Amino acid sequence: GVAAEIPELVRGLVLEDPPFETMGSRICQTRLHSYFRGVAGILRSGATPLELARDLAEVRMVDPVTNAVQRVSDVRDPVFLKFTGQSLAQLDPRVLEPIVAGDWLRGYDMHELIPRIAAPTLLLRADPAVGGMLTEDDARWCREHLRDGTLLDYPGVPHLIHQARPKELATHVLGFLASLDQ
């Protein structure tokens, strides 16, 4: 939004596997909906980070297409769970309400904003087959409508690219930043 509305403040833009409509209008078609409903259900006043991490591990994610069920601990390691428990202990539960309702992007129109972005943009796409959130259709649309966009795919890498491939991501981002006009 800032890159489109106030372009003079943005020299470059790095978008790491942005969820766009995967977490917007299409969230109910993904297991993310059950994930965020589950996370909202474990948040309670006074819970310790350790309690939240333990509860988070048991949150069940249901694929609405296949009905396959996974617990968060099936796909996230103990360090992630502890870090997220710490973060959740500081979170106002109301923050999740718009996500669960599928309207947290209300007023944000990527189809209107993206074509207005003039800054060079590095778009990093994780693999949807293993949890990436940027769909092929959204990536293609962005590539076609960004004035100066570079798309990098990370096959076999889940949404948190920076966790799964920190060195590779750092190399790409630092190289991109070095390419920006001074």
CSV table of all heavy atoms in Angstrom, one decimal, residues 6-38:
chain,number,residue,atom,x,y,z
A,6,ILE,N,2.5,6.2,-1.7
A,6,ILE,CA,3.5,7.2,-1.4
A,6,ILE,C,4.9,6.7,-2.0
A,6,ILE,O,5.8,6.4,-1.3
A,6,ILE,CB,3.7,7.5,0.1
A,6,ILE,CG1,2.4,7.6,0.8
A,6,ILE,CG2,4.5,8.7,0.4
A,6,ILE,CD1,2.4,7.6,2.4
A,7,PRO,N,4.9,6.6,-3.3
A,7,PRO,CA,6.1,6.0,-4.0
A,7,PRO,C,7.4,6.6,-3.7
A,7,PRO,O,8.4,5.9,-3.7
A,7,PRO,CB,5.7,6.1,-5.4
A,7,PRO,CG,4.7,7.2,-5.6
A,7,PRO,CD,4.0,7.2,-4.2
A,8,GLU,N,7.4,7.9,-3.3
A,8,GLU,CA,8.7,8.6,-3.0
A,8,GLU,C,9.4,8.0,-1.8
A,8,GLU,O,10.6,8.3,-1.6
A,8,GLU,CB,8.5,10.1,-3.0
A,8,GLU,CG,7.7,10.6,-1.9
A,8,GLU,CD,6.2,10.6,-2.2
A,8,GLU,OE1,5.7,10.1,-3.3
A,8,GLU,OE2,5.4,11.2,-1.4
A,9,LEU,N,8.6,7.3,-0.9
A,9,LEU,CA,9.2,6.8,0.3
A,9,LEU,C,9.7,5.4,0.1
A,9,LEU,O,10.3,4.8,1.0
A,9,LEU,CB,8.1,6.8,1.4
A,9,LEU,CG,7.6,8.1,1.9
A,9,LEU,CD1,6.6,7.9,3.0
A,9,LEU,CD2,8.8,9.0,2.4
A,10,VAL,N,9.6,4.8,-1.1
A,10,VAL,CA,9.9,3.4,-1.3
A,10,VAL,C,10.9,3.3,-2.4
A,10,VAL,O,10.6,3.6,-3.6
A,10,VAL,CB,8.7,2.5,-1.6
A,10,VAL,CG1,9.1,1.1,-1.8
A,10,VAL,CG2,7.7,2.6,-0.4
A,11,ARG,N,12.1,2.8,-2.1
A,11,ARG,CA,13.2,2.6,-3.2
A,11,ARG,C,13.1,1.2,-3.7
A,11,ARG,O,13.5,0.9,-4.9
A,11,ARG,CB,14.6,2.8,-2.6
A,11,ARG,CG,14.8,4.3,-2.3
A,11,ARG,CD,16.3,4.6,-2.0
A,11,ARG,NE,17.2,3.8,-2.8
A,11,ARG,CZ,18.3,3.2,-2.2
A,11,ARG,NH1,18.5,3.3,-0.9
A,11,ARG,NH2,19.1,2.6,-2.9
A,12,GLY,N,12.6,0.2,-3.0
A,12,GLY,CA,12.5,-1.2,-3.4
A,12,GLY,C,11.6,-1.9,-2.5
A,12,GLY,O,11.3,-1.4,-1.3
A,13,LEU,N,11.1,-3.0,-3.0
A,13,LEU,CA,10.1,-3.7,-2.2
A,13,LEU,C,10.4,-5.2,-2.3
A,13,LEU,O,10.6,-5.7,-3.4
A,13,LEU,CB,8.7,-3.5,-2.8
A,13,LEU,CG,7.4,-3.9,-2.2
A,13,LEU,CD1,7.3,-3.3,-0.8
A,13,LEU,CD2,6.2,-3.5,-3.0
A,14,VAL,N,10.4,-5.9,-1.1
A,14,VAL,CA,10.6,-7.3,-1.1
A,14,VAL,C,9.3,-7.9,-0.5
A,14,VAL,O,8.9,-7.6,0.6
A,14,VAL,CB,11.8,-7.7,-0.2
A,14,VAL,CG1,11.9,-9.2,-0.1
A,14,VAL,CG2,13.1,-7.1,-0.8
A,15,LEU,N,8.7,-8.8,-1.2
A,15,LEU,CA,7.5,-9.5,-0.8
A,15,LEU,C,7.8,-11.0,-0.7
A,15,LEU,O,8.0,-11.7,-1.6
A,15,LEU,CB,6.3,-9.3,-1.8
A,15,LEU,CG,5.9,-7.8,-2.1
A,15,LEU,CD1,4.9,-7.7,-3.2
A,15,LEU,CD2,5.4,-7.2,-0.8
A,16,GLU,N,7.8,-11.5,0.6
A,16,GLU,CA,8.1,-12.9,0.9
A,16,GLU,C,6.8,-13.7,0.9
A,16,GLU,O,6.0,-13.6,1.9
A,16,GLU,CB,8.9,-13.0,2.2
A,16,GLU,CG,9.2,-14.5,2.5
A,16,GLU,CD,9.9,-14.7,3.8
A,16,GLU,OE1,10.2,-13.7,4.5
A,16,GLU,OE2,10.1,-15.8,4.2
A,17,ASP,N,6.5,-14.4,-0.1
A,17,ASP,CA,5.3,-15.3,-0.2
A,17,ASP,C,4.1,-14.6,0.3
A,17,ASP,O,3.4,-15.2,1.2
A,17,ASP,CB,5.6,-16.6,0.5
A,17,ASP,CG,4.7,-17.7,0.1
A,17,ASP,OD1,4.4,-17.8,-1.2
A,17,ASP,OD2,4.2,-18.5,0.9
A,18,PRO,N,3.7,-13.5,-0.2
A,18,PRO,CA,2.5,-12.8,0.3
A,18,PRO,C,1.2,-13.6,0.1
A,18,PRO,O,1.0,-14.2,-1.0
A,18,PRO,CB,2.4,-11.5,-0.5
A,18,PRO,CG,3.2,-11.8,-1.8
A,18,PRO,CD,4.2,-12.8,-1.4
A,19,PRO,N,0.4,-13.7,1.1
A,19,PRO,CA,-0.8,-14.6,0.9
A,19,PRO,C,-1.9,-14.0,0.1
A,19,PRO,O,-2.8,-14.8,-0.4
A,19,PRO,CB,-1.3,-14.8,2.4
A,19,PRO,CG,-0.7,-13.6,3.1
A,19,PRO,CD,0.5,-13.2,2.4
A,20,PHE,N,-1.9,-12.7,-0.1
A,20,PHE,CA,-3.0,-12.1,-0.9
A,20,PHE,C,-4.3,-12.8,-0.6
A,20,PHE,O,-4.7,-12.9,0.5
A,20,PHE,CB,-2.7,-12.0,-2.4
A,20,PHE,CG,-1.5,-11.1,-2.7
A,20,PHE,CD1,-0.5,-11.5,-3.5
A,20,PHE,CD2,-1.5,-9.8,-2.2
A,20,PHE,CE1,0.6,-10.7,-3.8
A,20,PHE,CE2,-0.4,-9.0,-2.4
A,20,PHE,CZ,0.6,-9.4,-3.2
A,21,GLU,N,-5.0,-13.3,-1.6
A,21,GLU,CA,-6.4,-13.8,-1.5
A,21,GLU,C,-6.4,-15.2,-0.8
A,21,GLU,O,-7.4,-15.7,-0.4
A,21,GLU,CB,-7.1,-13.8,-2.8
A,21,GLU,CG,-7.5,-12.5,-3.3
A,21,GLU,CD,-8.3,-11.6,-2.3
A,21,GLU,OE1,-9.2,-12.2,-1.6
A,21,GLU,OE2,-8.0,-10.4,-2.2
A,22,THR,N,-5.2,-15.8,-0.7
A,22,THR,CA,-5.2,-17.1,0.0
A,22,THR,C,-5.6,-16.9,1.5
A,22,THR,O,-6.3,-17.8,2.0
A,22,THR,CB,-3.8,-17.7,0.0
A,22,THR,OG1,-3.4,-17.9,-1.3
A,22,THR,CG2,-3.7,-19.0,0.8
A,23,MET,N,-5.3,-15.8,2.1
A,23,MET,CA,-5.8,-15.5,3.4
A,23,MET,C,-6.9,-14.5,3.4
A,23,MET,O,-7.4,-14.0,4.4
A,23,MET,CB,-4.6,-15.0,4.3
A,23,MET,CG,-3.9,-16.2,4.9
A,23,MET,SD,-2.6,-15.6,6.0
A,23,MET,CE,-3.5,-14.7,7.3
A,24,GLY,N,-7.3,-14.1,2.2
A,24,GLY,CA,-8.4,-13.1,2.1
A,24,GLY,C,-9.7,-13.9,1.7
A,24,GLY,O,-10.2,-14.7,2.5
A,25,SER,N,-10.2,-13.6,0.6
A,25,SER,CA,-11.5,-14.2,0.2
A,25,SER,C,-11.5,-15.7,0.1
A,25,SER,O,-12.5,-16.3,0.2
A,25,SER,CB,-12.0,-13.5,-1.1
A,25,SER,OG,-11.1,-13.9,-2.2
A,26,ARG,N,-10.3,-16.3,-0.1
A,26,ARG,CA,-10.2,-17.7,-0.3
A,26,ARG,C,-9.8,-18.5,1.0
A,26,ARG,O,-9.6,-19.7,0.9
A,26,ARG,CB,-9.2,-18.1,-1.4
A,26,ARG,CG,-9.6,-17.6,-2.8
A,26,ARG,CD,-8.7,-18.1,-3.9
A,26,ARG,NE,-7.3,-17.7,-3.8
A,26,ARG,CZ,-6.7,-16.8,-4.5
A,26,ARG,NH1,-7.4,-16.2,-5.5
A,26,ARG,NH2,-5.5,-16.5,-4.4
A,27,ILE,N,-9.8,-17.8,2.1
A,27,ILE,CA,-9.3,-18.5,3.3
A,27,ILE,C,-10.1,-19.7,3.7
A,27,ILE,O,-9.6,-20.7,4.2
A,27,ILE,CB,-9.1,-17.5,4.5
A,27,ILE,CG1,-8.3,-18.1,5.6
A,27,ILE,CG2,-10.5,-17.0,5.0
A,27,ILE,CD1,-7.8,-17.2,6.7
A,28,CYS,N,-11.4,-19.6,3.5
A,28,CYS,CA,-12.2,-20.8,3.9
A,28,CYS,C,-12.0,-22.0,3.0
A,28,CYS,O,-12.5,-23.1,3.4
A,28,CYS,CB,-13.7,-20.3,3.9
A,28,CYS,SG,-14.1,-19.2,5.3
A,29,GLN,N,-11.3,-21.8,1.9
A,29,GLN,CA,-11.0,-22.9,1.0
A,29,GLN,C,-9.7,-23.5,1.4
A,29,GLN,O,-9.2,-24.4,0.6
A,29,GLN,CB,-11.0,-22.4,-0.4
A,29,GLN,CG,-12.3,-21.8,-0.9
A,29,GLN,CD,-12.1,-21.0,-2.2
A,29,GLN,OE1,-11.2,-21.2,-2.9
A,29,GLN,NE2,-13.0,-20.1,-2.4
A,30,THR,N,-9.1,-23.1,2.5
A,30,THR,CA,-7.7,-23.6,2.9
A,30,THR,C,-7.8,-24.1,4.3
A,30,THR,O,-8.7,-23.8,5.1
A,30,THR,CB,-6.7,-22.5,2.7
A,30,THR,OG1,-6.9,-21.5,3.8
A,30,THR,CG2,-6.7,-21.8,1.4
A,31,ARG,N,-6.7,-24.8,4.7
A,31,ARG,CA,-6.6,-25.2,6.1
A,31,ARG,C,-6.2,-24.1,7.0
A,31,ARG,O,-6.3,-24.2,8.2
A,31,ARG,CB,-5.6,-26.4,6.2
A,31,ARG,CG,-4.2,-26.0,5.9
A,31,ARG,CD,-3.3,-27.2,5.8
A,31,ARG,NE,-1.9,-26.7,5.7
A,31,ARG,CZ,-0.9,-27.3,6.2
A,31,ARG,NH1,-1.0,-28.5,6.9
A,31,ARG,NH2,0.3,-26.9,6.1
A,32,LEU,N,-5.9,-22.9,6.4
A,32,LEU,CA,-5.5,-21.8,7.3
A,32,LEU,C,-6.7,-21.3,8.1
A,32,LEU,O,-6.6,-20.8,9.2
A,32,LEU,CB,-5.1,-20.6,6.4
A,32,LEU,CG,-3.8,-20.8,5.7
A,32,LEU,CD1,-3.5,-19.7,4.7
A,32,LEU,CD2,-2.6,-20.9,6.6
A,33,HIS,N,-7.9,-21.5,7.6
A,33,HIS,CA,-9.1,-21.1,8.3
A,33,HIS,C,-9.2,-21.9,9.6
A,33,HIS,O,-9.4,-21.3,10.7
A,33,HIS,CB,-10.4,-21.3,7.4
A,33,HIS,CG,-11.5,-20.6,8.0
A,33,HIS,ND1,-12.6,-21.3,8.6
A,33,HIS,CD2,-11.8,-19.3,8.2
A,33,HIS,CE1,-13.5,-20.5,9.0
A,33,HIS,NE2,-13.1,-19.2,8.8
A,34,SER,N,-9.0,-23.2,9.5
A,34,SER,CA,-9.1,-24.0,10.8
A,34,SER,C,-7.9,-23.7,11.7
A,34,SER,O,-8.0,-23.7,12.9
A,34,SER,CB,-9.2,-25.5,10.5
A,34,SER,OG,-8.1,-25.9,9.7
A,35,TYR,N,-6.8,-23.3,11.1
A,35,TYR,CA,-5.6,-23.0,11.9
A,35,TYR,C,-5.9,-21.7,12.7
A,35,TYR,O,-5.7,-21.7,13.9
A,35,TYR,CB,-4.4,-22.7,11.0
A,35,TYR,CG,-3.2,-22.1,11.7
A,35,TYR,CD1,-2.4,-22.9,12.6
A,35,TYR,CD2,-2.9,-20.8,11.6
A,35,TYR,CE1,-1.3,-22.3,13.2
A,35,TYR,CE2,-1.8,-20.2,12.3
A,35,TYR,CZ,-1.0,-21.0,13.1
A,35,TYR,OH,0.0,-20.4,13.8
A,36,PHE,N,-6.3,-20.6,12.0
A,36,PHE,CA,-6.6,-19.4,12.8
A,36,PHE,C,-7.8,-19.5,13.7
A,36,PHE,O,-7.7,-18.9,14.8
A,36,PHE,CB,-6.8,-18.2,11.8
A,36,PHE,CG,-5.5,-17.7,11.2
A,36,PHE,CD1,-5.1,-18.0,9.9
A,36,PHE,CD2,-4.6,-17.0,12.0
A,36,PHE,CE1,-3.9,-17.6,9.4
A,36,PHE,CE2,-3.3,-16.6,11.5
A,36,PHE,CZ,-3.0,-16.9,10.2
A,37,ARG,N,-8.8,-20.3,13.4
A,37,ARG,CA,-9.9,-20.6,14.3
A,37,ARG,C,-9.3,-21.3,15.6
A,37,ARG,O,-9.6,-20.9,16.7
A,37,ARG,CB,-10.9,-21.4,13.7
A,37,ARG,CG,-12.1,-20.7,13.2
A,37,ARG,CD,-13.3,-21.5,12.9
A,37,ARG,NE,-13.1,-22.9,12.9
A,37,ARG,CZ,-13.1,-23.8,11.9
A,37,ARG,NH1,-13.3,-23.3,10.7
A,37,ARG,NH2,-12.9,-25.1,12.0
A,38,GLY,N,-8.4,-22.2,15.3
A,38,GLY,CA,-7.8,-23.0,16.5
A,38,GLY,C,-6.9,-22.1,17.3
A,38,GLY,O,-7.0,-22.1,18.5
